[in-house]
Amino acid sequence: MSTSGDLPPDLGATLTREGVDFAVYAGHADAVEICLFEPGDTTGASERRVQLKNRTHGTWFGSVPGLRAGARYAVRAHGPWQPDQGLRHNPDKLLMDPYARAIEGQVTWRPEVFGHVVDDRLDGDPDVRDRRNSAAYLPRAVVVDNHFDWGDDCPPQVPWAATVIYEAHVRNLTKLHPGIPEPLRGTYAGMAHPATIEHLLALGVTAVELQPVHAFSHEPHLVGRGLTNHWGYNTLGFNAPHSAYAAAGDPQGALDEFKGMVKLLHAAGLEVILDVVYNHTCEQGRDGATLSWRGLDNRAYYRLDERGHDIDVTGCGNTLDLRHPMVARMVLDSLRYWVELCHVDGFRFDLAVALGRGRDDG
């Protein structure tokens, strides 16, 4: 693991020759563990915990030898449960790595995924800690191999004066297209199919703006009514492509399929713009679930008032606090990842004004 001792290493899971380096920011935690799972284990029975023993400026890090691409993992954070001070650590709850580059599975909306005690209707007291293990109901992060054959890919760099942007939903645009093979409809591969590209070029389009493709979850109130979040403005992972939009059936394949889509669209002269949602997450307010950021460092990641309650300027229950340097870094690292390793050309920021709110939340 490369670190000077004064500065923490790169966040997330990084493949090395010896294994995998892990680094997670949890500034108020007392201990952080990486939880490893066998592929296919959705119950958590195979869980093996490895404590991250190094800590610098709130980032916990360490190496696990022998791991390779495809390893399934998550995080647990130990620390104070002091809701009135905004601290909601609960090591009984499995947490998603905010830097995960692939996510396998979906949240199962049961009481166990809440850090506080709730009933079967998912209502309860946000101040009372729940002691049940959530491992059987949370998806897994997956270590990926970042290598991809980009060939001679390069950004089209269409001048703004000549740009024509087509806003599209990955699934909607191709799901019923008769010229696309049925297995590819509604997928990244379908977006890059010659029939789709022909249609876009015939319209005179120079760029496609994809509605959210970051991994997202469905809100519990929708699931309770037998519905789903179709549009994706409910992020679970800022660095992972939403796997349900992939024709590929494995996490690495989904990531490679996304990159392949970008490569083929570029080859046709089409730019790729992502609609990104960095203003809030899928954890909702203090009465919401503990899936990632809330359990790692609620007080750092979210805007809170003096009672430890979420300041909701997004209408979604929480607001990410980009006044904190590590939260700003998370967003900037995510943007860099999608440009540098996935070759996207630009971004449209959902509710961008929320990112620039001041010290007084105004």
Side-chain angles (χ1 to χ4, degrees), residues 135-361:
Y137 310 107
L138 262 289
R140 311 287 188 246
V142 183
V143 178
V144 298
D145 184 346
N146 290 315
H147 175 75
F148 183 79
D149 181 9
W150 285 103
D152 58 357
D153 178 72
C154 61
Q157 294 185 320
V158 179
W160 272 117
T163 295
V164 178
I165 299 175
Y166 186 104
E167 184 179 11
H169 186 283
V170 170
R171 177 149 292 175
N172 288 7
L173 182 63
T174 64
K175 188 64 176 175
L176 300 178
H177 198 303
I180 300 173
E182 192 165 348
L184 303 185
R185 294 178 189 175
T187 69
Y188 303 122
M191 277 291 305
H193 190 273
T196 308
I197 291 174
E198 180 183 359
H199 171 66
L200 294 171
L201 293 178
L203 293 175
V205 169
T206 68
V208 288
E209 177 194 316
L210 301 180
Q211 292 184 301
V213 296
H214 289 174
F216 64 88
S217 179
H218 308 295
E219 293 89 338
H221 73 273
L222 291 179
V223 174
R225 295 162 56 193
L227 303 173
T228 60
N229 183 316
H230 180 73
W231 302 104
Y233 294 84
N234 198 46
T235 309
L236 177 63
F238 292 116
N239 297 287
H242 191 59
S243 60
Y245 292 162
D250 65 290
Q252 180 74 54
L255 176 59
D256 292 344
E257 184 179 325
F258 178 89
K259 292 178 179 179
M261 174 195 71
V262 174
K263 181 179 178 179
L264 289 170
L265 291 173
H266 279 179
L270 295 166
E271 294 181 302
V272 180
I273 299 170
L274 300 187
D275 190 345
V276 289
V277 189
Y278 294 113
N279 58 79
H280 74 279
T281 77
C282 67
E283 289 185 308
Q284 303 183 303
R286 62 191 284 267
D287 57 351
T290 295
L291 309 173
S292 179
W293 306 270
R294 176 167 290 130
L296 291 170
D297 197 334
N298 187 55
R299 201 157 82 184
Y301 283 110
Y302 295 122
R303 287 180 181 262
L304 306 177
D305 63 19
E306 65 281 356
R307 301 168 299 165
H309 293 196
D310 288 272
I311 296 173
D312 178 15
V313 302
T314 66
C316 299
N318 63 59
T319 307
L320 282 172
D321 190 356
L322 270 75
R323 298 170 300 181
H324 193 289
M326 293 304 293
V327 184
R329 176 184 170 182
M330 177 184 72
V331 172
L332 292 170
D333 284 348
S334 174
L335 294 171
R336 278 189 284 264
Y337 169 69
W338 290 103
V339 171
E340 294 175 0
L341 275 77
C342 298
H343 289 206
V344 305
D345 302 283
F347 305 94
R348 177 264 175 185
F349 291 86
D350 180 68
L351 202 57
V353 292
L355 309 184
R357 293 244 174 182
R359 291 282 170 191
D360 61 352
D361 300 306

Side-chain angles (χ1 to χ4, degrees), residues 1 8-14 20-26 32 34 52 59-63 73 75 97-99 329:
M1 173 167 285
D10 291 339
L11 291 159
T14 304
V20 177
D21 292 346
F22 292 98
V24 180
Y25 179 75
V32 172
I34 295 296
L52 298 180
T59 295
W60 299 80
F61 56 97
S63 300
Y73 75 99
V75 183
D97 173 12
Y99 278 68
R329 176 184 170 182

